[in-house]
Structure formats: C-alpha cells, structure tokens
Amino acid sequence: MRRFLVAGNWKMNTNRASGQDLAAALAENAPAAEDGVEILVCPPHPYLTTIADKVSGSGVQVGAQDVYFEAGGAFTGEVAVDMLKDVGCEYVIIGHSERRHVIGETDEIINRKVKAAIAGGVKVILCVGELLSDREGGNTESVLDAQMSGGLADISEQDAKELVIAYEPVWAIGTGVTASPEQAESAHEHLRKWVANRYNSTFSDQIRILYGGSVKADNAETLMGQANVDGALVGGASLKPELFVPIIDAARKLASA
Ligand code: 13P
C-alpha cells in the first residue's frame, strides 16, 4: 500500500518565531515517524535550518519550496541541491504553479531542476496542474500530459523512484474552491495512467500522487479517500497547527482503516 504524504507548503509566509512555534507544535503532535503517514513541512529557505532543528528526531520532515539546477557558483540569489541536503531537507517542491505562472518557470527549467535534485539525492515533489481556462476548454489532460512529459524528460524509472507527483489545479489554489473528489480522482487516475504508459504499471502502482488546492480539515478525508489520492500538499491550512493537524489526522484515519 502507498504511504500517505501530508505536506505543508508554507510559501512566503511565517517568520523565524512563528515558524518555530508551528514546527514545535507539529513535532509534538508527531513525536516519531509513523508507518501510515509521512509528514513534511516546506518553510521558506531562510528558515530551513531553524525548522530542521526544531523537528529533528520527530516524525516531521523538512523540505524546500524550490531549488536551482546548477551545483554552485555565480548564480546570485539561487540555492543548490547540496545546500538543501546540508541543512536536512528530505524533499524539494519543483514546478509549483506559482513558480510556473508568477515567476515564469518553463517545463525545461523544471526538468533541469528535477534532474539536479534526483542526482543530489533530494526527493522531488513535482507539481502539475491546469488553469481554469484549460479546464473550461477541455484541455486539462493535455496540459497535464505536457507538464509530465516536459518535467520528466530523460528521467529513467530508476531515477524517478523517489518521485512524488502533486496534482494542483491552479483554479483551486488559495481560492477556497476545492476540486470535487471526482475531479481530483479523475485527474489522479489520468496521471497514474500516464506513468504506466511512460514507465510501467508496477511503478505507476507505487508512485504517490498528492492533491493540492484548498485542502482543509473538512474536505481532506474525502479527497484523500479517493483511490488514486495518496496525500495532500497544503498551503494556507498548513500555517496553523489547529488547521494542519486535522488534515494529518484524516490521513492517519484512512491509513489505519
Ligand atoms: P492552498 O492550500 O492555500 O490552496 O495552496 C495549495 C498549494 O499551492 C500547495 O502547494
């Protein structure tokens, strides 16, 4: 069975003190690694070390929200994979829709980042998702296919072993409008079939596909209860323990069912 992954993407939020408080509360809630649920927080880069220290030894892992594909050198403002590893990051989010649509990242850049992270031994959460106009135009699946083909170009099954996909429909991010369980399941099923076609069905059975986009305590269990939904990538509701812990609890409940 695939292990649930519940990840908090803090985006450009928190400060040192509030991030520490949040991390401490989550570590207290998950004092040790859990069989059924993996828990991850992705703070802003400046706080990675502090947060990694806070959750050290608990069941909460730390990831980054982005990385650069070069190993080091004259790339002002960028952060390398080895640096993330050095401060204790297990995961890195790559290709988030805010990076695609606000910062202008292309599939080619995303692919280079995915390759660099894999080569450096940091697990990747690759985000894909359609705009509202894509969905309304009936293009959801072709957009997902293009993002998957672009992001995973020249990446072997062996290299993709630790990969996690996050389906985040752009129209559901930060809007309070969540994809219906049917919409989420249909996209996840499509993505899993894409993986089966590109790689094979053994691998597509193993790969985890998270849902992201206005996940809250009251919709988490239904969304994660879908056959092809293996966890959640949570934005706004990951910023307060009283909002995030119930989402983790929903995964715990499903994992023990
Ligand atoms: P919200 O949960 O705030 O909609 O954000 C989702 C997201 O973008 C997680 O990466």
Side-chain angles (χ1 to χ4, degrees):
M1 197 180 141
R2 296 182 294 264
R3 193 165 162 226
F4 283 100
L5 172 58
V6 178
N9 173 9
W10 294 2
K11 307 193 180 183
M12 201 169 72
N13 294 299
T14 69
N15 58 28
R16 193 148 65 120
S18 68
Q20 279 181 317
D21 289 349
L22 175 53
L26 297 176
E28 194 177 322
N29 175 267
E34 299 175 27
D35 283 345
V37 184
E38 215 180 323
I39 304 163
L40 177 72
V41 292
C42 301
H45 282 152
Y47 307 131
L48 284 170
T49 309
T50 310
I51 302 303
D53 285 349
K54 268 281 170 222
V55 301
S56 173
S58 79
V60 180
Q61 301 174 87
V62 173
Q65 300 174 17
D66 185 37
V67 71
Y68 197 53
F69 48 74
E70 296 288 356
F75 302 102
T76 302
E78 296 295 343
V79 168
V81 174
D82 278 355
M83 297 173 184
L84 297 185
K85 232 180 143 180
D86 196 19
V87 297
C89 286
E90 299 283 341
Y91 284 89
V92 58
I93 297 171
I94 296 179
H96 191 278
S97 74
E98 285 140 24
R99 298 215 56 89
R100 292 176 186 268
H101 299 294
V102 182
I103 314 290
E105 270 184 26
T106 61
D107 283 318
E108 194 202 332
I109 291 173
I110 290 163
N111 179 243
R112 293 180 76 176
K113 292 184 172 187
V114 172
K115 285 177 179 158
I118 290 172
V122 176
K123 296 172 207 158
V124 171
I125 300 177
L126 173 65
C127 299
V128 296
E130 80 286 2
L131 297 165
L132 184 59
S133 54
D134 298 325
R135 177 161 285 269
E136 288 176 346
N139 298 320
T140 297
E141 294 186 351
S142 60
V143 167
L144 296 180
D145 291 351
Q147 292 176 342
M148 291 289 282
S149 309
L152 296 178
D154 307 317
I155 291 176
S156 68
E157 180 192 348
Q158 185 57 36
D159 287 343
K161 273 256 172 309
E162 304 272 22
L163 181 79
V164 175
I165 305 294
Y167 170 61
E168 298 207 310
V170 181
W171 47 272
I173 295 177
T175 57
V177 181
T178 315
S180 69
E182 295 75 24
Q183 284 171 323
E185 174 60 11
S186 158
H188 282 231
E189 196 180 0
H190 179 79
L191 288 166
R192 204 174 295 286
K193 280 194 189 136
W194 187 95
V195 174
N197 287 333
R198 165 76 160 76
Y199 297 99
N200 57 68
S201 59
T202 309
F203 181 48
S204 72
D205 281 346
Q206 290 164 358
I207 195 166
R208 292 182 293 182
I209 308 178
L210 314 182
Y211 170 78
S214 297
V215 176
K216 306 272 182 273
D218 61 2
N219 57 30
E221 190 178 336
T222 321
L223 284 162
M224 291 190 286
Q226 302 301 306
N228 285 293
V229 180
D230 308 311
L233 182 54
V234 186
S238 73
L239 294 171
K240 291 195 173 141
E242 64 272 27
L243 301 179
F244 194 49
V245 169
I247 298 171
I248 300 169
D249 283 341
R252 286 173 172 141
K253 186 174 160 195
L254 289 163
S256 64

